[in-house]
Structure formats: structure tokens, C-alpha cells
């Protein structure tokens, strides 16, 4: 069963504008972690931001913030003041319980390709 | 710090050949992972390990084998390579030591191995 859904295969945004990348997830666990990663055209995976299921405040890291709506099971990434260097693939991921009972499996969504236009 | 090191960076295999993708980390992380990324797609978990001597299957384990004899190394073995295994393979690791408090630890990725099977 699919656990992470990113419904936007591609997104366009004008430089200096804000953009929201959608992510919904499916889990029956009470404790879980949600992550966003950036993959530029060079291919490396860059960790951006994390949100824990018990965190009451939305996570923020510089120009990145995470709009966490637990009841709706959504964890959207908001990038403010977009820059040309933000053009990349963005992946949402969730850490869920492994068979040994520990939180050790990180499952990724299919990704959203963001293009920032000057 | 070297972080997570993957070798080789590129490899071309003929159908039916075997090879081992190497992965080493120097951060003393207990958890290590192998993912594959097909063109334009997200990352799929192949195998993961929560410590030396312990491995578990991920989403797409068929055609692969792993071992974890040390904390530092987590090689991925491909037996009887098939064209369907053409992909980019990422190794990753994460902290901490205890499974019960691991859900907020981001993965640290290697730079990937691009494998083509023809």
C-alpha cells in the first residue's frame, strides 16, 4: 500500500515568490517522522526539514517551512522567496515502524519537480 | 568527514553478471539503508540494517542480497543482473543507537552508483 503521496509531478514558480509542495501520508502509528529532501540535477540527496508527529509547532528551517496538518495527514513543504537554485526534485518521506519495533524504515514519495523561472 | 562513501560511481554489467556495490560510513551510525531510484521516480527501499548482523527487507528486495558484518560497511550484492536492475543506487545511514528514539534522525546519503545492465 502506498504510504506517501505527492500529487504534483511538476510545479512552476516565479523567482522570489512562495510555492507549496503537497505531501499526504498514510499511517496508523501515533509516533512518526516526516522529512523533506531536495535532489538537484547533480543527483545528491539533501535533507531540508523534519516534522515529528508530536510537534505542536510547524517546523521551519530558513526559507523552508512545513505546513503540518495531522488530522488531514498532510505535511506540505513551503518554500518562501524562491531562488533559481531551488529548481530540483523534492521528495517527502516518512519514517515508520520496522518489524523489530524500532523506527527505522524511511519511505519516500514519488517526488515533485520544481522549476523556478526568472 | 567522508560521511557515506559509495563505490563504484558508475558500472555497466551484462545480463547474468554479478557485482557488489560497496558502502561505507564513518559516522558510527547504527542504521544503514540501500535505495534504488529509477529514472524520474522516487526512492525505493531495497534492504536496511539496524546494526551489525541484522538486516531486513525493504520494498523491493528481490534480486539483491546484503550483509552487515561491521558497523561501517553495508555492501549490496546483485546476483544474475537483469535489465530491470538498471537504476541509481543510494546508500544511506542514520543515527542514533537506540531504535525507540530514532524517528527524528535524518538519513545521510552517499552520492550514488549509476548501474546499467545491458
Amino acid at each position: 500500500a502506498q504510504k506517501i503521496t505527492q500529487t504534483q509531478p511538476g510545479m512552476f514558480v516565479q523567482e522570489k515568490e512562495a510555492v507549496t509542495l503537497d505531501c499526504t501520508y498514510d499511517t496508523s502509528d501515533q509516533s512518526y517522522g516526516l522529512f523533506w529532501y531536495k535532489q538537484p540535477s547533480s543527483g545528491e540527496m539533501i535533507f531540508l526539514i523534519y516534522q515529528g508527529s508530536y510537534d505542536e509547532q510547524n517546523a521551519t528551517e530558513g526559507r523552508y517551512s512545513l505546513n503540518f496538518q495531522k488530522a488531514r495527514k498532510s505535511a506540505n513543504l513551503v518554500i518562501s522567496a524562491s531562488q533559481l537554485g531551488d529548481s530540483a526534485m523534492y521528495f517527502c518521506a516518512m519514517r515508520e515502524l520496522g518489524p523489530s519495533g524500532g523506527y527505522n524504515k524511511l519511505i519516500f514519495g514519488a517526488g515533485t519537480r520544481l522549476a523556478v523561472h526568472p | 568527514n567522508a560521511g557515506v562513501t559509495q563505490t563504484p560511481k558508475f558500472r555497466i554489467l551484462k545480463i547474468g553478471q554479478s557485482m557488489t556495490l560497496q558502502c561505507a560510513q564513518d559516522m558510527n551510525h547504527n542504521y544503514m539503508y540501500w535505495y534504488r531510484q529509477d529514472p524520474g521516480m522516487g526512492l525505493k527501499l531495497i534492504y536496511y540494517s539496524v546494526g551489525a548482523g541484522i538486516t531486513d527487507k525493504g520494498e523491493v528486495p528481490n534480486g539483491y542480497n546484503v550483509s552487515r558484518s561491521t558497523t561501517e560497511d553495508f555492501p549490496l550484492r546483485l546476483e544474475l543482473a537483469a535489465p530491470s536492475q538498471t537504476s541509481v543506487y543510494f546508500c544511506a545511514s542514520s543515527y542514533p543507537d537506540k531504535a525507540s528514539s530514532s524517528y527524528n534522525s535524518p538519513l545521510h546519503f552517499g552520492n550514488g552508483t549509476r548501474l546499467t545492465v545491458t
Side-chain angles (χ1 to χ4, degrees):
Chain A
Q2 191 172 7
K3 298 284 190 173
I4 298 285
T5 303
Q6 295 180 253
T7 57
Q8 306 154 314
M11 288 283 287
F12 296 91
V13 65
Q14 207 72 24
E15 194 178 9
K16 299 181 184 177
E17 292 185 349
V19 63
T20 297
L21 306 183
D22 295 341
C23 173
T24 58
Y25 58 92
D26 180 26
T27 182
S28 56
D29 294 338
Q30 295 302 309
S31 300
Y32 50 89
L34 297 156
F35 302 78
W36 278 91
Y37 282 83
K38 173 184 178 181
Q39 187 178 43
S41 58
S42 52
E44 71 267 32
M45 295 291 291
I46 302 168
F47 166 67
L48 295 177
I49 196 168
Y50 161 80
Q51 179 84 41
S53 58
Y54 290 118
D55 294 341
E56 295 184 356
Q57 302 280 347
N58 285 342
T60 60
E61 290 286 348
R63 294 186 298 110
Y64 304 108
S65 60
L66 203 152
N67 184 359
F68 181 48
Q69 298 185 44
K70 192 171 183 177
R72 297 180 59 186
K73 294 188 176 179
S74 74
N76 299 337
L77 177 70
V78 180
I79 305 175
S80 63
S82 298
Q83 301 172 357
L84 296 178
D86 293 335
S87 295
M89 281 289 286
Y90 288 82
F91 294 100
C92 179
M94 179 176 68
R95 173 168 261 132
E96 59 178 9
L97 277 170
S100 55
Y103 294 91
N104 40 42
K105 288 172 63 174
L106 196 67
I107 305 298
F108 284 80
T112 295
R113 183 172 298 281
L114 176 67
V116 180
H117 292 171
Chain B
N1 286 337
V4 179
T5 302
Q6 292 184 238
T7 56
K9 293 184 179 179
F10 303 94
R11 184 72 185 268
I12 299 174
L13 283 182
K14 294 188 183 302
I15 295 172
Q17 287 186 323
S18 300
M19 77 163 294
T20 299
L21 281 65
Q22 301 291 344
C23 176
Q25 54 92 8
D26 62 358
M27 297 173 282
N28 201 31
H29 286 170
N30 270 21
Y31 297 173
M32 296 188 74
Y33 309 78
W34 275 107
Y35 289 89
R36 60 175 286 174
Q37 184 179 28
D38 297 334
M41 305 293 286
L43 280 73
K44 296 292 186 183
L45 182 63
I46 305 171
Y47 271 96
Y48 65 104
S49 169
V50 301
I54 306 170
T55 61
D56 277 313
K57 294 179 180 179
E59 303 168 273
V60 289
N62 291 343
Y64 306 95
N65 281 300
V66 293
S67 59
R68 184 95 182 271
S69 56
T70 67
T71 298
E72 294 77 20
D73 300 301
F74 190 40
L76 177 72
R77 178 80 177 164
L78 277 72
E79 305 282 1
L80 298 174
S84 61
Q85 292 178 304
T86 294
S87 191
V88 178
Y89 292 83
F90 286 99
C91 179
S93 70
S94 73
Y95 188 78
D97 295 327
K98 296 194 181 297
S100 61
S101 58
S102 66
Y103 68 92
N104 61 346
S105 302
L107 268 62
H108 299 259
F109 282 86
N111 288 329
T113 295
R114 187 175 297 274
L115 175 68
T116 302
V117 182
T118 61

